[in-house]
Amino acid sequence: MDTPPLAGKIAALSLGALPVFYALNHISVLSHPLGVALMSTLILGLFFVAIYSLSHGEIHYDPLYAVFAVFAFTSVVDLLIALQEDGYMIGFMEFYTKEAEPFLRTAHGIFICYWDGTVHYLLYLAMAGAIRRRKRYRNLGLYWLGSFVMSILVFLPGNILGKYSSEIRPTFFLTIPYVLVQCWAGLKVFNQSRAPTRCTPNMVQEEQRKGLLQRPADLALVIYLILAGFFTLFRGLVVLDCPTDACFVYIYQYEPYLRDPVAYPRVQMLIYMFYVLPFYGLAAYALIFPGCSWLPDWALVFAGAIGQAQFSHMGASTHLRTPFTYRVPEDTWACFFLCNLMYALGPHLLAYRCLLWPAFFLHPPPGSQAPHKKQH
């Protein structure tokens, strides 16, 4: 997969967030939540107008260029929030985290801002650069789609159900059009045509004749998916207050962050159990039986989702904003870090395997004898 060049024009415009929000931080009218919401809407509207006037050709070719440009700007804003909350800069975003979205000051909120301000920002620039050069960006888009959806699925319910539910301000409702636009963009990315593969019919037939034992990499992935599935189920039972001794020991000695009243970790583990666990089972099936052409796309989506989730979960579990009683104990930190790191890396290895050697997942050539009785 070729990596498209970054969009320099959008990068330059998005960095305009620094002087804009530094100035806004000193305007007294923004001491009111409604004023913050209206000003945020106005700024995003003006930024969209500027992008449209400067990049009319790119937007006419692919409307997602404007979407990625606007969200690159918001990614810079999120990075400013994270850096300020960790004390690396001052004077930029106090008004916003105080009057608009106080839940961004939690450990989980800080780390989703870091992820959005780095990984999502680079993805937006790369996808916009691909549009400008008329190149494909579907794989990058699928990774971004999974990452964005996971972030929203955890963050919004956590805000409503956790201890910050009484702190919801008017700017919270700006997430409705934000989510709708991103879902529309995600659907457009998903519906794009796939890049053609270099696999010949003979290569497909030869690869699909191999059993699982003849494919050691796939065997290792299947074993990983089974183990990760058990770990996912176990942590789901832990947050559901399973009374067994193993769950009690784990939540108090290994991941006490799962008890944090902010609700983000509980929501995260339940989403893992209800969405990621079924995917692990289906992915293991697709690695055993050939012709499951859906796996490469969904492997990318879930790699992005689990990458974002694990980054936020691991970071928040050890961050100083998390109360000391809910942080990972020092004597179990190595075990916690290793288990969660492997949980994050596995889906990325699966996606890499699907992209690098896709022949096993392609539909068998017409007229060929399927290696297995089941058809997919």
Side-chain angles (χ1 to χ4, degrees), residues 50-104:
I51 288 294
Y52 186 83
S53 61
L54 294 173
S55 306
H56 185 73
E58 288 81 2
I59 296 175
H60 180 74
Y61 174 76
D62 189 340
L64 293 185
Y65 185 88
V67 174
F68 298 148
V70 172
F71 290 134
F73 181 85
T74 62
S75 292
V76 173
V77 174
D78 280 344
L79 184 59
L80 292 177
I81 291 173
L83 292 173
Q84 178 171 280
E85 291 303 317
D86 274 343
Y88 295 111
M89 58 172 55
I90 58 173
F92 283 88
M93 301 301 300
E94 286 98 337
F95 76 96
Y96 192 83
T97 54
K98 180 181 178 181
E99 302 296 340
E101 297 188 71
F103 27 78
L104 290 177

Side-chain angles (χ1 to χ4, degrees), residues 225-226 229 275-288 294:
L225 291 170
I226 293 172
Y275 293 96
V276 176
L277 180 58
F279 169 74
Y280 281 161
L282 292 171
Y285 175 89
L287 287 169
I288 297 172
W294 51 266

Side-chain angles (χ1 to χ4, degrees), residues 298-311:
W298 285 102
L300 272 172
V301 171
F302 275 87
I306 296 172
Q308 187 280 331
Q310 286 298 105
F311 176 83

Side-chain angles (χ1 to χ4, degrees), residues 221-222 224-233 235 272-273 275-287 294-295 299 302-303 305-307 310 342-348 350:
L221 285 171
V222 169
Y224 165 83
L225 291 170
I226 293 172
L227 295 176
F230 280 116
F231 187 55
T232 302
L233 179 61
R235 291 205 292 185
Y272 278 163
M273 186 167 68
Y275 293 96
V276 176
L277 180 58
F279 169 74
Y280 281 161
L282 292 171
Y285 175 89
L287 287 169
W294 51 266
L295 182 60
F302 275 87
I306 296 172
Q310 286 298 105
M342 293 300 296
Y343 195 86
L345 289 178
H348 290 79
L350 174 64

